[in-house]
């Protein structure tokens, strides 16, 4: 017979194994029923535990208790109920009240607000505004509407609101003396922001900015959103521009050429927003990955702008407000920032990263820069070593220029005398070809004869133009240079309170009219018709008088002094044998041509 064993018998390993298999099977069934049974949705509870479970670090570090009991059950659960994308939350770092931090050295006093971690005042101690108060480079009206300096800007409008309105936690409040470091931190929800600024004894500071959302970096531009506190009239607003140095080439973009929310890619040695006298320049630590953002807005400055005498309207005055900001494609922005005057002595010492170009080319002298820049360098040298007042420096510069031009003026007189001597022969040649039309080839023969006559008698047909070719470019260069150099800003000389502003008493324009008339009166002009001489004697003074009436008094001073020096030189030359012969020939020719008595010419007088 077959042998039967008691199932409760403890002997034999096979029964124990069967029991364990059976128990595991029962356990597996029970667990399976738990996993496949309908689940009730618990009410939402914003508990710290729930927030912790949703963080990626928590998910990778541990699993829920039910999942740790059986990998198989975990697999089934994952296959039937896919998990939603995880949201990142960060610990809250946020100030509970507004505060300010003031960073100060001998050059500036910068006031930071923990609201947005941005600048509300940037005072340059060595410069004054038009009311004589310390100059604040923050254009308060523009900043209130478009943003304050060193604020952050992204492509997300909602995030921008958070970045500018949040109360950051500063590393220090109150007053800070350089060298110093100031850090602003903010984090809430899924956004983390860190802004660190380092300061020294110069106009430079360094910024380290990083914005993260959902744990990922966000490209956030560190901004100078628009305008400068020294802008007060139409010219100062019109001088605003965006400046860039890319691949060693400096470009300047006026408001008309600037795109709102434009993006300029690298390599960017430096990028800036500036006006005629001051600038905010960003010099990124990594030029190759730097990105520049340009901003252009319009602002009604009708209540604050200084209106010119030409402007009769008292209504709205909309002016372009240009701004710029720097960021890095990695999302972590490291950059130096220069905020200060566009003074050559300062700009030439500041270089871009990796021994890149300096920012001297930020100062644009206009079309005549090839003359205007050396002209100012000489003027600055005179001011530094010879005259402590800019007005006297301009007078000395004018004297030096006229001394250099004197040999050309003497040569012009000699050339003019030779021209007068051969004038009858030239008239005979012109009469010979008078019957031919201007388009007739015979006219070319006339010109050839005249040129041969001049050459045989040592006459240079362009000799009389040399002084004019020298003086006019210098005047235009001075015209371009004068309103662009910050060194001459608010420079005074006697009754002139600002050499870059018109003469408040209009003394110099009147002097200009008189001196210009005397220049025309005493300077002989051989070969010029008497009627033309009379017209020029009155028209030129009127033009120069009108021009200097409304322009910077520094130019009027330069021009008037130059005229008086020319008059003195001409009076002296007129007493020489050359001058006497020249006047006699000119008077004789004028009488012969006009058929009148002596003294009809208005020029070449004693």
């Amino acid at each position: 017979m077959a042998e039967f064993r008691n199932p409760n018998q403890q002997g034999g390993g096979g029964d124990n194994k069967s029991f364990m298999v059976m128990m595991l099977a029962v356990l597996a069934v029970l667990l399976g029923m738990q996993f496949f049974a309908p689940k009730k949705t618990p009410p939402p509870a914003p508990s710290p535990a729930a927030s912790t479970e949703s963080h990626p670090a928590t998910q990778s570090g541990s699993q829920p208790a039910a999942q740790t009991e059986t990998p198989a059950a975990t697999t089934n659960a994952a296959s039937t109920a896919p998990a939603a994308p995880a949201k990142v939350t960060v610990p809250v770092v946020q100030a509970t009240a507004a505060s300010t931090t003031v960073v100060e050295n001998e050059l500036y006093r910068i006031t930071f607000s923990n609201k947005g971690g941005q600048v509300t005042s940037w005072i340059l101690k060595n410069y004054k505004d038009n009311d004589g108060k310390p100059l604040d480079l923050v254009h308060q009206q523009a900043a209130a509407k478009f943003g304050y300096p060193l604020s952050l800007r992204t492509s997300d409008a909602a995030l921008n609101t958070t970045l500018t309105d949040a109360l950051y936690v500063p590393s220090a409040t109150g007053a800070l003396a350089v060298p110093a470091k100031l850090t602003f931190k903010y984090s809430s929800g899924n956004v983390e922001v860190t802004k660190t600024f380092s300061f020294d004894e110069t106009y430079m500071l360094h910024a380290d900015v990083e914005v993260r959302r959902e744990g990922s970096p966000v490209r956030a531009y560190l901004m100078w959103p628009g305008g400068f506190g020294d802008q007060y009239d139409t010219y100062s607003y019109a001088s605003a521009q965006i400046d860039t140095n890319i691949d060693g080439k400096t470009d300047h973009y006026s408001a008309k050429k600037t795109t709102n929310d434009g993006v300029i890619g690298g390599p960017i040695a430096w990028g800036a927003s500036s006006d005629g006298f001051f600038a905010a320049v960003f010099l990124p630590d990594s030029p190759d990955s730097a990105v520049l953002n340009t901003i252009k807005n319009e602002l009604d400055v009708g209540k604050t702008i200084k209106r010119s005498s030409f402007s009769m309207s008292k209504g709205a005055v909309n002016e372009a407000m240009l701004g710029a900001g720097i960021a890095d494609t990695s999302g972590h922005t490291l950059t130096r920032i220069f905020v200060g005057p566009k003074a050559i002595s300062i700009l030439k010492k500041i270089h871009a990263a990796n021994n890149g170009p300096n920012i001297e080319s930020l100062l644009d002298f206009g079309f005549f820069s090839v003359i205007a820049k050396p002209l100012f360098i000489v003027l600055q040298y005179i001011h530094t070593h010879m005259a402590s007042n800019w007005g006297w420096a301009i007078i000395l510069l004018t004297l030096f220029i006229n001394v250099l031009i004197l040999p050309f003026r003497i040569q012009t007189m000699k050339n003019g005398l030779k021209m007068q001597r051969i004038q009858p022969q030239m008239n005979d040649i012109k009469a010979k070809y008078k019957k031919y039309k201007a388009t007739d080839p015979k006219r070319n023969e006339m010109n050839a004869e005249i040129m041969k006559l001049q050459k045989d008698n040592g006459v240079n047909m362009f000799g009389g133009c040399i002084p004019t070719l020298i003086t006019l470019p210098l005047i235009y260069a001075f015209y371009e240079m004068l309103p662009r150099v910050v060194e001459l800003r608010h420079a005074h000389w006697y009754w002139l309170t600002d050499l870059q502003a018109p003469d408040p008493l209009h003394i110099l324009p009147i002097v200009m009219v008189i001196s210009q008339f005397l220049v025309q009166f005493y300077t002989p002009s051989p070969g010029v018709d008497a009627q033309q001489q009379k017209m020029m004697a009155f028209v030129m003074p009127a033009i120069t008088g009108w021009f200097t009436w409304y322009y910077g008094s520094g130019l009027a001073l330069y021009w008037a002094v130059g005229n008086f020096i020319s008059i003195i030189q001409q009076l002296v030359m007129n007493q020489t044998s050359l001058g006497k012969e020249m006047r006699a020939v000119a008077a004789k020719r004028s009488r012969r041509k006009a058929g009148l008595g002596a003294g009809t010419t208005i020029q070449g007088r004693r």
Side-chain angles (χ1 to χ4, degrees):
M1 292 180 65
E3 182 178 2
F4 293 93
R5 293 181 178 269
N6 187 344
N8 296 322
Q9 185 179 352
Q10 298 299 316
D15 294 330
N16 289 334
K17 291 180 180 180
S18 299
F19 177 79
M20 292 300 298
V21 170
M22 181 182 66
M23 294 299 297
L24 288 174
V26 172
L27 182 61
V29 171
L30 293 175
L31 290 174
M33 291 176 65
Q34 291 292 325
F35 276 94
F36 287 100
K39 297 181 179 180
K40 295 181 181 180
T41 304
S47 62
S51 298
T52 305
E53 290 175 2
S54 65
H55 196 280
T58 305
Q59 292 181 352
S60 60
S62 63
Q63 299 292 337
Q67 295 180 2
T68 59
E69 296 183 17
T70 167
T74 303
T75 303
N76 292 336
S79 62
T80 57
K87 292 184 178 180
V88 177
T89 57
V90 296
V92 175
V93 177
Q94 184 175 2
T96 57
S99 64
T100 59
T101 305
V102 178
V103 182
E104 189 169 4
N105 64 13
E106 293 183 356
L107 301 173
Y108 59 67
R109 183 168 69 251
I110 308 174
T111 302
F112 284 86
S113 170
N114 72 327
K115 182 181 180 181
Q118 55 199 6
V119 173
T120 58
S121 174
W122 202 308
I123 292 177
L124 299 186
K125 296 183 177 180
N126 294 332
Y127 297 90
K128 305 292 184 181
D129 62 17
N130 292 307
D131 296 324
K133 301 176 182 178
L135 175 62
D136 186 354
L137 275 189
V138 178
H139 193 296
Q140 295 296 337
Q141 184 183 356
K145 188 172 183 180
F146 307 124
Y148 285 87
L150 305 189
S151 57
L152 297 178
R153 187 173 187 270
T154 70
S155 58
D156 187 328
L159 180 58
N160 290 341
T161 302
T162 299
L163 297 177
T164 56
D165 291 347
L167 293 178
Y168 290 64
V169 175
S171 59
T173 59
L176 285 179
V178 297
K181 180 178 289 188
L182 178 61
T183 298
F184 292 94
K185 289 187 176 182
Y186 168 82
S187 63
S188 180
N190 59 359
V191 177
E192 297 177 273
V193 187
T194 301
K195 302 168 70 174
T196 300
F197 303 102
S198 303
F199 310 88
D200 58 19
E201 294 80 7
T202 69
Y203 284 106
M204 300 291 294
L205 62 146
H206 187 271
D208 182 341
V209 177
E210 189 172 17
V211 178
R212 303 182 74 86
R213 182 167 58 181
E214 297 283 355
S216 300
V218 176
R219 182 188 297 181
Y221 293 93
L222 187 63
M223 301 297 301
W224 189 279
F228 291 87
D230 68 312
Q231 293 175 306
Y232 73 100
D233 60 2
T234 301
Y235 177 82
S236 59
Y237 282 108
S239 67
Q241 60 187 21
I242 299 296
D243 314 273
T244 62
N245 186 287
I246 300 176
D247 291 331
K249 182 177 181 295
T250 300
D251 290 303
H252 308 279
Y253 303 95
S254 64
K256 292 182 178 179
K257 297 181 180 180
T258 300
T259 303
N260 184 39
D261 203 18
V263 176
I264 301 175
I268 299 176
W270 51 263
S273 173
S274 69
D275 66 5
F277 299 128
F278 301 95
V281 187
F282 298 96
L283 300 98
D285 291 5
S286 302
D288 291 339
S289 56
V291 185
L292 188 73
N293 184 216
T294 60
I295 301 297
K296 181 173 74 172
N297 293 295
E298 278 198 355
L299 183 68
D300 179 8
V301 294
K303 294 182 179 180
T304 57
I305 193 171
K306 179 183 178 182
R307 300 174 188 267
S308 68
S309 57
F310 294 107
S311 178
M312 303 301 293
S313 174
K314 300 298 182 182
V317 179
N318 292 319
E319 295 288 352
M321 307 300 295
L322 303 184
I326 201 74
D328 194 275
T329 54
S330 68
H332 186 187
T333 301
L334 297 166
T335 183
R336 288 177 297 148
I337 307 170
F338 167 83
V339 178
K342 294 164 65 172
I344 288 182
S345 59
I346 296 174
L347 301 181
K348 66 182 181 181
K349 297 178 182 179
I350 302 173
H351 289 261
N354 307 320
N355 199 29
N358 63 24
I359 63 174
E360 184 178 354
S361 57
L362 179 71
L363 183 57
D364 180 19
F365 283 98
F367 182 78
F368 282 90
S369 60
V370 66
I371 302 175
K373 185 176 179 179
L375 185 68
F376 173 70
I377 292 175
V378 174
L379 178 63
Q380 190 175 40
Y381 178 86
I382 295 173
H383 176 262
T384 302
H385 299 282
M386 303 177 67
S388 59
N389 181 275
W390 283 104
W392 287 113
I394 291 175
I395 292 174
L396 289 177
L397 175 64
T398 309
L399 177 62
F400 293 153
I401 290 175
N402 280 271
V403 169
L404 293 176
I405 295 176
L406 180 59
F408 296 102
R409 285 180 172 156
I410 296 174
Q411 187 62 35
T412 296
M413 287 188 65
K414 292 180 178 180
N415 191 75
L417 180 58
K418 294 177 182 179
M419 179 73 77
Q420 286 182 334
R421 287 170 178 169
I422 66 172
Q423 191 65 43
Q425 296 169 267
M426 292 177 61
N427 291 338
D428 293 340
I429 295 174
K430 292 178 181 179
K432 177 181 174 182
Y433 291 91
K434 186 177 181 180
K435 61 182 178 180
Y436 299 105
K437 295 181 179 180
T439 56
D440 195 296
K442 286 288 187 179
R443 286 282 184 167
N444 294 331
E445 297 180 12
M446 180 191 73
N447 294 333
E449 288 188 34
I450 292 176
M451 292 180 65
K452 184 177 184 303
L453 177 65
Q454 292 175 342
K455 183 178 180 181
D456 293 342
N457 288 272
V459 176
N460 182 357
M461 61 182 299
F462 299 108
C465 302
I466 293 178
T468 302
L469 292 176
I470 295 175
T471 56
L472 281 184
L474 286 173
I475 290 175
Y476 289 133
F478 208 96
Y479 170 85
E480 293 281 355
M481 176 268 290
L482 183 66
R484 298 172 186 265
V485 288
V486 69
E487 289 86 349
L488 279 168
R489 182 177 179 269
H490 293 170
H492 66 278
W493 185 75
Y494 288 105
W495 74 95
L496 302 175
T497 57
D498 187 352
L499 291 172
Q500 291 178 326
D503 183 346
L505 303 179
H506 302 298
I507 295 175
L508 282 180
I510 295 173
V511 172
M512 269 297 304
V513 172
I514 297 173
S515 64
Q516 191 67 38
F517 176 82
L518 293 176
V519 167
Q520 298 292 116
F521 187 82
Y522 286 111
T523 304
S525 297
V528 180
D529 183 77
Q531 295 299 322
Q532 293 178 349
Q533 293 177 18
K534 291 179 182 179
M535 181 186 69
M536 293 298 292
F538 292 100
V539 172
M540 284 301 295
I543 293 176
T544 55
W546 179 88
F547 189 75
T548 55
W549 191 277
Y550 298 104
Y551 197 69
S553 55
L555 176 64
L557 180 63
Y558 169 81
W559 207 338
V561 172
N563 282 346
F564 280 113
I565 294 174
S566 298
I567 292 169
I568 295 172
Q569 290 177 343
Q570 192 63 54
L571 286 173
V572 173
M573 289 189 293
N574 285 350
Q575 301 306 313
T576 64
S577 58
L578 175 64
K580 291 177 180 179
E581 182 181 358
M582 193 170 187
R583 294 198 319 277
V585 173
K588 181 179 178 180
R589 176 178 177 271
S590 178
R591 289 195 302 269
R592 184 174 63 250
K593 186 171 183 179
L596 301 173
T600 57
T601 178
I602 199 168
Q603 294 183 337
R605 299 292 182 87
R606 295 187 178 187

